[in-house]
Amino acid sequence: MKRQPLIIKNQRWLDFLFHRPNIHLASFQTISNYPRIWIISILILAVTSLSPLVMATFINNRLIHKSVDAELVLQTDRVTSNAKRSMRFFLEERLNALRFIVNELPYYTLIDNQHLAKILSNLKLGFGGFTDLSIIDADGSQIAYAGPFNLEGKNYKTQSWFTQGIEQDSFISEVFTGYRDIPHIIISVRSKTAYSRHFLLRATLDTQRLMDMLSSYKTNVHTDIFLLNHSGILQTPSTIFGKVFTTAPINIPAFSDTTQVITPETNKENASVIGYSYIDTEAVTTPFILMVHKKKSDVMGTWLNLGKTFNWIIGICCLVMMVIITLVSTFMVNQLYLADQAKAETMLKMEQSQQLACIGQLSAGIAHEINNPLALINETAGYLKDLYQYTGEHRSDKEITELLDDILEAVSRCGTITSQLLGFVRQFDVQISSVNVEKLINGILSFHKKETEYKGIHVTTMIAPNVPAIETDRGKLQQILLNLINNAFQAIEANGCLDIMVSHLPPKKISIEIKDTGCGIPEENLKRIHEPFFSTKKEKMGTGLGLSITYGLVKKLQGTIRVESSAGIGTIFTVTLPVKMQKEEKA
C-alpha cells in the first residue's frame, strides 16, 4: 500500500503561500485565498497588540514634555525672582549708605578729599562694590574726589546722568564708560549746602561685583542671566548675545511690577524660556531689566536623550512583537491550510468511493438487464442447435435467419450496457468533450427501467428544441444526474412522477431541472443537505455524501445547483451549467 502524500508534521510553514492549486481539491476547500487571510490576521494582531503600546508611548512623551516645560517655567520664575531681590537689595543698600552720609556729615567735611577718601574706605569695608566717591556742585563741577582715577576738576554739566541726577533725590544710571573709558554704574544722592545750593554725592559701583552676583544664580551652563536697558542694550555680558553695549535681538517685554516668564514662538531648535523683571527700588526706578534666558533644547537634552532611549526600546519591542505575530499567524494559517487540505483530500476520496458505491448500486440492475438477453441467447442457440441436428435445410430457412438476427440484437444490447458501465467508471480527471444532454439522460433512465415498471413511476423528459450540445466533462455530469435521479427514485412512492426538463438559458448556459413527487425535504434541513454525512433518509439508508459530492462536482463543472422542496409534496433540483466549460490548469 502506498504511503499517503499528506504528512502534516513534515509540512513547511509556508506551504499555503507556495502551494500549487489542485483543481480536483478546489471544490472541497473551505478557503481559497490563504495569503489574504494571512496578511489580514497579521494586520489585526499587529493593530490590536501594538496600538496600545504606541499610544502609551506617545502619551508618555507628551506628558514628559509638558512636565519638563512646567518645571522649566517654574525654575526660571524662581531664579528671576531671587536674582531680582538680590539686585534690588544691592542697589538700595548702597543708596541708603549715601543718604546716611549726606544726612549725617556736614558739607565742609564732605568736600575734604582726605575725609572723603576715608569715607570711601569705610564703604568698601562695610558694603563693597564701591569704586570711587565725589562731590559735584549744581554747576556740574567736581569739588572733591576720592578714588583710583585722575578725575579732579572734571565738569559733568553736559553729561545726561548729571542732568537727571540733579533733578532727583536719588539716581541710578545705566552702564556707560564716561571719562574713565571703563563700563561703570553711577548712583547719586542729592542734598543741599548751608546756602541751600544743591550738590550731588556720587558713587561709582563696581560692575564686576554686580556681574558676579548675577552669575551666582546660574543653576547650570544652560542658564544665561544678564541686564538690559529699556532700549535693549546689554548692560552686562551675555553668553548668548555677546558683550556689554551690544544690542540684543530681543523684543523688549511689556512692563510688569512682578516677575514674568514667557515662551516666545520660535522653531523647536531655538525654543526658549525667558524670565524677566523690571528692577526698581523704594526711592527710584532703575533703567535695568533683569533677563533670565534658558534654551529648551539645552535644558531638556538629558530628558530628550532619555526619551530617545525609551523610544528605541519601545521600537525594538514592537519589532520583536511583529516577528512573534508573524510567526504565530504563519503557523496558525498554515495549520488551517493543512487541515483544509486534509479535509479536501478526504472528500475527494469519498467522492471516488461514492462513485464506486453508485456502481455497486447499479450492478444488480445491470446484471438483471444483461441476464435477460443472455437467456434469450441461450434459448435461441439451443433451438438453433436442434435445427442443425434434425434438419438439413437450414440454409434456406427464414426462421434460422431471424433467430440469428435476434442473437445479434441481444449481443448488441449487452455491449451497449457494458459500454455505459465502462464509460461511467473511466478516469476521474476533468476531460472536456461535447455532450448531448438528452442522450445522457436517456442512458441513465435506462438503468431504472425495471424500477419504473415495478413502482409504476411516470417519467417525463422534456428537452427544449434549442438546447445545444455542451462542452463539459461527460463522466462528472453523468454522476451528477445519476445521483439526483437515484435520490428522486428513492424518494418517490408507488405511482409517483418524475419530470426532467432541460432548457437553454441564452446566451451561454443550460438548465437541468429534476422534479419529483416524493416525500420532500423539511425546511429546517434544506440548508444542510450539502453538508458531508448529513442524510434525511430513514433507517440509515444513505451515507450523507451523495449531495455533498454532487455539490462539489457541480462546482468543478463551473455550474450552480439550487433546491426547492416542501415536505410531503416533492423536490426540485435545478442544475445550471455553462454551454462551454472553461479549461483550468491542472496541478
Side-chain angles (χ1 to χ4, degrees), residues 319-377:
L319 182 61
V320 172
M321 290 180 67
M322 279 300 301
V323 172
I324 295 174
I325 287 171
T326 302
L327 292 177
V328 171
S329 297
T330 303
F331 176 77
M332 296 302 293
V333 173
N334 199 64
Q335 290 301 307
L336 180 63
Y337 163 74
L338 294 177
D340 199 17
Q341 285 290 100
K343 185 209 74 172
E345 290 189 4
T346 302
M347 291 297 297
L348 181 61
K349 292 176 183 177
M350 293 304 297
E351 177 189 334
Q352 297 171 355
S353 299
Q354 176 67 12
Q355 289 177 331
L356 296 177
C358 290
I359 294 174
Q361 184 180 359
L362 293 173
S363 60
I366 295 173
H368 183 73
E369 291 291 330
I370 293 177
N371 282 338
N372 291 335
L374 288 180
L376 180 60
I377 292 172

Side-chain angles (χ1 to χ4, degrees), residues 363-499:
S363 60
I366 295 173
H368 183 73
E369 291 291 330
I370 293 177
N371 282 338
N372 291 335
L374 288 180
L376 180 60
I377 292 172
N378 185 50
E379 293 176 2
T380 306
Y383 183 62
L384 182 61
K385 184 177 179 181
D386 292 340
L387 290 178
Y388 271 101
Q389 289 177 350
Y390 297 106
T391 303
E393 299 177 356
H394 59 277
R395 294 181 180 178
S396 60
D397 196 334
K398 292 183 180 181
E399 187 177 2
I400 294 177
T401 304
E402 292 176 355
L403 292 174
L404 289 176
D405 290 339
D406 290 340
I407 294 173
L408 292 175
E409 183 181 353
V411 172
S412 176
R413 186 177 177 192
C414 291
T416 301
I417 295 173
T418 306
S419 176
Q420 290 175 344
L421 179 60
L422 292 176
F424 179 73
V425 298
R426 69 172 180 253
Q427 179 67 29
F428 295 114
D429 288 340
V430 175
Q431 297 178 354
I432 300 177
S433 61
S434 179
V435 178
N436 187 307
V437 180
E438 182 178 6
K439 291 183 179 180
L440 187 63
I441 293 173
N442 291 334
I444 294 172
L445 290 176
S446 67
F447 294 152
H448 297 276
K449 183 176 180 181
K450 292 298 180 182
E451 185 176 3
T452 302
E453 295 174 355
Y454 175 74
K455 285 187 175 182
I457 298 175
H458 180 69
V459 178
T460 302
T461 304
M462 293 177 286
I463 310 295
N466 60 344
V467 173
I470 64 174
E471 293 186 14
T472 188
D473 185 281
R474 179 186 183 86
K476 286 181 170 49
L477 179 56
Q478 186 179 38
Q479 185 176 355
I480 291 170
L481 297 177
L482 185 59
N483 284 344
L484 295 177
I485 292 173
N486 280 348
N487 286 346
F489 271 98
Q490 291 174 6
I492 298 173
E493 299 294 337
N495 301 318
C497 295
L498 173 63
D499 298 327

Side-chain angles (χ1 to χ4, degrees), residues 186-345:
I186 289 177
I187 62 173
S188 65
V189 175
R190 186 181 65 179
S191 186
K192 292 183 180 181
T193 65
Y195 303 102
S196 298
R197 286 182 58 84
H198 286 108
F199 71 92
L200 295 178
L201 175 59
R202 185 203 70 171
T204 303
L205 299 182
D206 183 6
T207 56
Q208 186 60 44
R209 177 74 176 270
L210 187 62
M211 289 186 288
D212 292 343
M213 181 189 67
L214 294 177
S215 297
S216 66
Y217 287 94
K218 288 187 177 182
T219 54
N220 50 57
V221 295
H222 308 302
T223 303
D224 188 19
I225 300 180
F226 54 91
L227 294 177
L228 284 178
N229 64 10
H230 293 181
S231 300
I233 298 174
L234 289 173
Q235 303 294 286
T236 58
S238 168
T239 55
I240 297 177
F241 302 112
K243 299 179 180 180
V244 179
F245 303 131
T246 301
T247 301
I250 300 177
N251 294 327
I252 302 302
F255 175 79
S256 176
D257 293 330
T258 59
T259 300
Q260 299 293 325
V261 178
I262 58 175
T263 53
E265 294 183 1
T266 55
N267 54 53
K268 290 185 178 181
E269 295 182 357
N270 298 322
S272 59
V273 176
I274 298 176
Y276 72 92
S277 182
Y278 281 76
I279 305 298
D280 57 0
T281 66
E282 293 182 357
V284 64
T285 299
T286 74
F288 301 122
I289 305 174
L290 176 66
M291 305 290 291
V292 177
H293 188 282
K294 291 188 177 184
K295 197 172 182 180
K296 281 188 178 182
S297 59
D298 295 335
V299 177
M300 297 178 65
T302 303
W303 287 101
L304 292 176
N305 292 333
L306 179 62
K308 288 180 181 178
T309 303
F310 181 76
N311 291 339
W312 270 106
I313 294 174
I314 295 298
I316 293 173
C317 291
C318 290
L319 182 61
V320 172
M321 290 180 67
M322 279 300 301
V323 172
I324 295 174
I325 287 171
T326 302
L327 292 177
V328 171
S329 297
T330 303
F331 176 77
M332 296 302 293
V333 173
N334 199 64
Q335 290 301 307
L336 180 63
Y337 163 74
L338 294 177
D340 199 17
Q341 285 290 100
K343 185 209 74 172
E345 290 189 4

Side-chain angles (χ1 to χ4, degrees), residues 6 47 94 114 116 131 135 163 173 204 211 226 245 253 275 305 314-315 350 362 380 442 445 488 514 522 526 544 569:
L6 183 63
V47 170
R94 281 143 188 81
Q114 291 182 353
L116 192 62
T131 301
I135 302 296
T163 304
S173 74
T204 303
M211 289 186 288
F226 54 91
F245 303 131
N305 292 333
I314 295 298
M350 293 304 297
L362 293 173
T380 306
N442 291 334
L445 290 176
I514 301 173
L526 281 176
I569 297 177

